[in-house]
Amino acid sequence: HNNLGFKFLIARNPEVKVLCNQHGGGYGIDSYCNSETYERKISDILFTWGWTEDQKTKPLPNAPAIDASTNYRSNCILFKYVLYPKYFYKLDNYPFGNRMNNYLHQLIQFAQKVQNLKIEISHYPHDYGWNIRKRLSDADVEIDEKSMDDGKYQLHVCNYLGTSWLESIAANLPVICFYDPEINKFRDSVSPYIKSFERLGILHHCPHSAADKVIEVSENPEKWWQSDDVQSNVSNFREKYARLEDGWEQIWREEFSSLSKN
């Protein structure tokens, strides 16, 4: 988006096709996704992780972010969170201002409730001045930091509906998420999936409900995750919104070979 030279190149060569590729969560799911809106406007084709809305959008599977093929799976839980800058910086579905304080409060509430389980935390690489480690320490929360690859944890937990939970869904790893329904708004096409995930205990509106589900399934997350109802709904959702698949390279080669011939 910020590559000025690329923008000039495209502007001077209108015959060049512009191809964009989905590179995170929110695309096709959120009621409004700024990156998607921009990329759909400037591109001839926007390749997606499975969904289609118009002639510009075309599914093309991407590389898996999590290697879930490992023969070793620990009995540890991984908690993944995200942070945002303190000041408004983009038009999207995310917490800012006072809502960010509530977001951090809920993060800590969840951590307090599950800290006695065997759980590790994946700290977001950018703290943005929120001092999360100190906040957790001040709240008497002691959770070890992430020590393994994502695919080796028996259960993932996220406090936001972004890229991380889609990566876990794509890998078919047990995942539980909690989010603020006042912030996250969904398109009509995805609402049935969201409602099904809420019924199945995958999605929650508050940290307490999510923590209760984590505690409930912590002894054997796979038993819950591999139930027919969960797998049916996860499989249907993954096919449309989380196609991060092995063998993606060959599909890309075929797609670009076809485009170059045309």
Side-chain angles (χ1 to χ4, degrees):
H1 298 174
N2 298 319
N3 190 322
L4 189 60
F6 176 77
K7 292 178 179 179
F8 275 113
L9 174 66
I10 297 303
R12 290 174 61 89
N13 297 275
E15 73 280 2
V16 174
K17 280 189 175 294
V18 179
L19 309 176
C20 292
N21 183 49
Q22 177 176 343
H23 49 87
Y27 288 68
I29 295 176
D30 291 344
S31 59
Y32 178 78
C33 178
N34 190 41
S35 297
E36 176 197 332
T37 300
Y38 173 73
E39 288 166 19
R40 287 173 72 170
K41 284 184 176 180
I42 67 167
S43 66
D44 293 285
I45 301 175
L46 171 62
F47 294 114
T48 76
W49 291 359
W51 54 275
T52 303
E53 284 194 4
D54 56 23
Q55 292 182 338
K56 275 193 173 185
T57 50
K58 184 174 184 179
L60 192 71
N62 277 236
I66 299 173
D67 181 7
S69 64
T70 176
N71 292 323
Y72 170 76
R73 187 70 50 77
S74 77
N75 61 350
C76 193
I77 300 164
L78 178 63
F79 177 37
K80 300 185 283 186
Y81 69 87
V82 70
L83 291 175
Y84 303 95
K86 290 187 175 183
Y87 306 103
F88 180 83
Y89 75 109
K90 65 176 181 177
L91 291 170
D92 256 329
N93 295 337
Y94 75 97
F96 66 93
N98 288 333
R99 284 200 178 274
M100 192 62 190
N101 290 324
N102 184 58
Y103 172 87
L104 297 175
H105 179 61
Q106 291 190 345
L107 186 160
I108 292 171
Q109 284 182 315
F110 174 81
Q112 287 174 324
K113 197 163 184 177
V114 301
Q115 66 174 319
N116 292 327
L117 299 175
K118 189 173 182 181
I119 186 169
E120 295 181 352
I121 188 168
S122 176
H123 286 292
Y124 197 65
H126 305 291
D127 186 78
Y128 296 119
W130 293 112
N131 298 315
I132 291 298
R133 287 175 174 83
K134 184 177 185 303
R135 287 173 184 255
L136 289 169
S137 177
D138 290 346
D140 295 321
V141 174
E142 295 184 8
I143 298 179
D144 291 337
E145 296 194 18
K146 178 184 174 184
S147 63
M148 302 175 286
D149 293 336
D150 287 17
K152 294 181 179 179
Y153 291 86
Q154 67 164 350
L155 174 65
H156 291 180
V157 183
C158 304
N159 71 334
Y160 71 109
L161 295 183
T163 306
S164 287
W165 83 292
L166 291 179
E167 292 173 346
S168 299
I169 290 282
N172 201 22
L173 289 170
V175 58
I176 291 171
C177 306
F178 60 97
Y179 71 97
D180 186 344
E182 293 300 314
I183 293 176
N184 290 98
K185 302 296 182 181
F186 308 103
R187 300 178 199 185
D188 292 341
S189 57
V190 80
S191 290
Y193 296 99
I194 300 299
K195 291 177 181 177
S196 293
F197 283 178
E198 290 172 351
R199 173 179 61 82
L200 293 166
I202 299 172
L203 298 183
H204 300 260
H205 290 179
C206 76
H208 303 290
S209 173
D212 287 342
K213 187 64 180 182
V214 170
I215 293 168
E216 175 192 328
V217 305
S218 60
E219 289 295 323
N220 191 353
E222 281 292 331
K223 182 179 179 181
W224 160 64
W225 190 255
Q226 291 299 328
S227 67
D228 291 343
D229 201 2
V230 171
Q231 281 298 295
S232 175
N233 281 277
V234 167
S235 178
N236 290 336
F237 178 84
R238 182 171 59 244
E239 182 64 24
K240 190 165 186 179
Y241 296 104
R243 290 188 60 192
L244 307 178
E245 306 169 357
D246 292 330
W248 64 276
E249 302 101 322
Q250 182 59 35
I251 299 174
W252 275 51
R253 290 191 191 100
E254 293 171 358
E255 176 65 27
F256 284 97
S257 175
S258 175
L259 287 171
S260 63
K261 290 176 182 178
N262 294 330

